[in-house]
Amino acid sequence: GHILYFGNDEQKQKYLPKLASGEWIGAWGLTEANTGSDAGNMQCTATKDGDGWVLNGTKNWITHGISGNVAVVLARTGEPRAKSNVTAFIVEKGTPGFTAGKKENKLGMRASETAELVFDNCRISDAQRMGEVGDGFRQAMKVLDGGRISIAALSLGIAKGAYEASLKYSKERQQFDQPISNFQAIAFKLADMATKIEVSEMLIYQAADKKNRHEPMTKESAMAKYYASEVAVQCATEAVQIFGGYGYTKDFPVEKYYRDSKLCTIGEGTSEIQKLVISREVLK
Ligand SMILES: Cc1cc2nc3c(=O)[nH]c(=O)nc-3n(C[C@H](O)[C@H](O)[C@H](O)COP(=O)(O)OP(=O)(O)OC[C@H]3O[C@@H](n4cnc5c(N)ncnc54)[C@H](O)[C@@H]3O)c2cc1C
């Protein structure tokens, strides 16, 4: 997304076909060990050196940090806490001084690796810079606006998976000589799940529609991400409850939904940060 929006023609031609076809996997590095929600306070630096740049520092929690063929990296090019002090760079795997570090041992989303990116006097040419020097943080916020719709859609998928599995199981599982869906306590859980899933879907379509029309959608994407991710956690939690003891085992899919869903309220900005974004927008 970052290269699509902010790369120049040469960068787009070089990277987008490979990334779009899946031949290459991309990574995006904003977060660091000590700067997550407060990403603007990053410590990873890019220093001008002749006609290129030297990167030093680490990025943490980076999806596809090991398997990624290319990474977009946000690095500080100005003084800490100064305005416009971040710039975006494209760094290819194999660039001397760029290595992948520790892989996180996660609760869920275990099929996609999350790892550290380490930059130790990593030299890159100025042609790898995206956009203007100092424009990186603004670019990152734009990328996150779109990324949040993707996380909302991911959340919706998990919520639907949990709901559909619960619906089926509740009609099949017999207790007290009847399907457990006959018990209002179970049926009402399904009603809550179905309703919240539809609301999530509408919020996601609203944000995606605005994005497709190139209209501002910071508030809408944050609302969709916040709501859909919390609903995914609620639906996955209720699904485990509906499955009873079986839900607590790896024989059924709902324990995976339960573990995977929690990432959605954290990644691409926590629910608290979404509320910060939404409240700033409504108080404008
Ligand atoms: C599996 C996974 C994949 C990820 N992939 C990527 C990736 O590809 N690229 C990338 O750059 N990052 C990635 N991240 C990082 C992710 O975006 C951060 O984890 C997230 O932004 C939260 O930052 P943090 O973990 O440092 O938590 P912190 O910022 O330390 O937050 C801790 C708690 O404090 C709360 N908090 C913080 N500030 C405030 C505030 N101002 N008001 C109220 N509450 C606040 C938070 O909501 C949270 O509850 C990934 C994370 C995970 C877990």
Side-chain angles (χ1 to χ4, degrees):
H2 204 131
I3 299 176
L4 178 65
Y5 287 123
F6 299 107
N8 58 31
D9 286 346
E10 212 171 295
Q11 290 163 341
K12 285 183 190 172
Q13 266 167 20
K14 185 168 179 195
Y15 296 109
L16 291 184
K18 283 181 179 162
L19 289 168
S21 68
E23 187 188 338
W24 275 24
I25 292 177
W28 191 73
L30 174 68
T31 307
E32 297 179 5
N34 295 321
T35 55
S37 302
D38 186 14
N41 195 28
M42 64 183 67
Q43 303 301 309
C44 182
T45 55
T47 312
K48 195 91 176 71
D49 183 47
D51 56 1
W53 296 85
V54 178
L55 294 175
N56 274 298
T58 59
K59 291 284 164 185
N60 294 72
W61 302 102
I62 309 307
T63 303
H64 302 142
I66 296 168
S67 60
N69 302 83
V70 63
V72 169
V73 178
L74 284 306
R76 190 157 54 71
T77 46
E79 292 303 309
R81 293 285 186 208
K83 272 208 176 316
S84 304
N85 65 351
V86 173
T87 305
F89 298 92
I90 304 171
V91 189
E92 288 185 26
K93 191 177 192 166
T95 306
F98 172 34
T99 49
K102 181 182 158 226
K103 177 181 166 183
E104 302 298 339
N105 185 8
K106 295 178 297 184
L107 170 71
M109 296 289 182
R110 295 179 65 88
S112 125
E113 103 266 351
T114 306
E116 188 180 34
L117 306 181
V118 182
F119 300 94
D120 181 11
N121 282 322
C122 172
R123 282 174 192 278
I124 51 171
S125 79
D126 194 47
Q128 299 303 102
R129 170 170 55 84
M130 260 192 297
E132 297 302 315
V133 173
D135 195 39
F137 199 70
R138 185 194 68 84
Q139 293 175 7
M141 293 304 106
K142 281 261 171 238
V143 170
L144 284 175
D145 277 348
R148 283 171 184 157
I149 303 176
S150 306
I151 299 289
L154 168 65
S155 307
L156 179 66
I158 296 172
K160 281 189 176 177
Y163 167 69
E164 282 160 16
S166 302
L167 193 64
K168 182 166 179 284
Y169 186 81
S170 67
K171 290 187 205 162
E172 289 167 3
R173 176 71 175 170
Q174 301 262 334
Q175 289 294 286
F176 302 96
D177 306 318
Q178 55 190 306
I180 60 169
S181 59
N182 279 3
F183 306 131
Q184 198 179 58
I186 299 293
F188 277 17
K189 285 190 198 301
L190 295 169
D192 279 336
M193 289 161 98
T195 306
K196 290 176 180 178
I197 284 170
E198 292 221 2
V199 178
S200 295
E201 196 152 21
M202 285 185 225
L203 285 172
I204 292 166
Y205 277 128
Q206 172 179 259
D209 182 52
K210 281 191 170 267
K211 182 171 186 290
N212 286 345
R213 292 169 194 270
H214 305 288
E215 289 175 15
M217 46 78 183
T218 300
K219 182 185 75 180
E220 288 76 9
S221 68
M223 282 179 167
K225 197 275 188 186
Y226 166 47
Y227 189 80
S229 64
E230 293 291 342
V231 164
V233 172
Q234 290 163 19
C235 286
T237 305
E238 290 295 45
V240 173
Q241 195 66 21
I242 290 170
F243 273 73
Y246 295 96
Y248 201 62
T249 70
K250 290 189 186 284
D251 295 339
F252 290 90
V254 292
E255 65 82 30
K256 182 176 186 300
Y257 299 142
Y258 184 71
R259 290 183 292 107
D260 286 350
S261 63
K262 196 57 201 155
L263 179 265
C264 299
T265 67
I266 298 170
E268 303 264 342
T270 62
S271 288
E272 290 76 14
I273 294 303
Q274 303 313 314
K275 284 193 260 191
L276 210 74
V277 172
I278 297 163
S279 58
R280 272 188 199 141
E281 290 291 318
V282 299
L283 287 167
K284 256 182 186 170

